[in-house]
Amino acid sequence: MTLTDSLVSYTFAITLLTLTPGLDTALILRTAASEGSKKAFQAAMGVNAGCMIWGAIVALGLGALLTASELAFNVLKWVGAAYLCWLGLQMLFKPRNQMAAESAADAPLKKSSNGFIKGLFGNVLNPKVGVFYVTFLPQFVASGYPVAAYTFGLAMIHVLIGTVWSSTMIAATRPLSRWLKRPAVVRNMDRLTGLVFVAFAVRLATSKR
């Protein structure tokens, strides 16, 4: 995969994922509505810090693993393809009618007055973020570039897009909140994201080192 192909396809996919209502979206909107824009922005920065931590962990692990072993590359490729396909089919055939509810990790932090801590631990304590990075990021690493550095760079693109989207949500909390909570919007976003996930699962399964 060339650098241009990698960045264009990854940016499209991760933007779509970021726009799909989930736990982070629910946390930011809930905080903005109940505690104000400042706390909501702190929560968004906490979420981004969590993504950076997961990105660093995954980047270092993948960099060492994929450089050392052809077998590890193939195992990760097939496991990743299966996981993305499963996620995609779930979204396609069983789309949600509402945004994700509060996570188990987020619940103990509900009474915290620190928005950053809420966002950080709500993200870091969610292993699905790590699993997703492990299965999703490797397929977008451009040929000829260091795996670890490039993978972390992809995670930082996710953080940048997340910051823009979070800021937009906070600035327009009421209209966006109403729109994102509509069952039809949640269902259609799930289906579209599911279709993209299945397509990338096929692409990952047919990729070569």
Side-chain angles (χ1 to χ4, degrees), residues 5-209:
D5 289 341
S6 165
L7 294 179
V8 170
S9 57
Y10 174 75
T11 300
F12 169 75
I14 206 65
T15 298
L16 180 60
L17 175 67
T18 302
L19 296 180
T20 302
L23 287 171
D24 293 341
T25 301
L27 172 63
I28 293 168
L29 288 176
R30 184 172 67 243
T31 304
S34 62
E35 301 181 51
S37 299
K38 183 178 179 180
K39 293 290 186 182
F41 190 74
Q42 290 176 355
M45 292 303 97
V47 169
N48 288 340
C51 287
M52 292 173 65
I53 291 172
W54 275 118
I57 292 172
V58 171
L60 292 174
L62 284 176
L65 186 64
L66 299 185
T67 300
S69 173
E70 177 79 24
L71 176 61
F73 173 84
N74 288 324
V75 169
L76 182 60
K77 179 181 77 170
W78 287 108
V79 171
Y83 179 68
L84 288 177
C85 186
W86 179 79
L87 284 179
L89 292 176
Q90 288 288 312
M91 288 180 161
L92 274 171
F93 297 111
K94 295 181 180 180
R96 299 167 300 161
N97 290 310
Q98 59 184 10
M99 281 196 293
E102 180 182 277
S103 70
D106 185 41
L109 299 168
K110 191 174 182 180
K111 296 181 180 179
S112 173
S113 60
N114 192 316
F116 182 85
I117 295 298
K118 284 184 181 180
L120 174 64
F121 282 96
N123 189 284
V124 169
L125 297 179
N126 183 0
K128 290 183 179 180
V129 179
V131 173
F132 178 78
Y133 271 11
V134 167
T135 56
F136 195 65
L137 298 185
Q139 63 185 297
F140 295 100
V141 176
S143 302
Y145 290 85
V147 175
Y150 201 94
T151 300
F152 186 71
L154 294 177
M156 291 304 298
I157 291 175
H158 184 200
V159 168
L160 178 61
I161 293 172
T163 300
V164 173
W165 177 233
S166 297
S167 300
T168 302
M169 284 194 294
I170 294 168
T173 300
R174 292 183 180 178
L176 269 180
S177 178
R178 288 195 296 267
W179 183 73
L180 288 171
K181 289 178 180 177
R182 292 178 180 176
V185 172
V186 177
R187 285 195 302 271
N188 289 331
M189 287 296 291
D190 268 12
R191 286 169 179 155
L192 181 58
T193 304
L195 185 62
V196 171
F197 276 17
V198 171
F200 279 118
V202 174
R203 178 178 177 175
L204 179 58
T206 56
S207 66
K208 295 181 180 179
R209 188 170 186 178

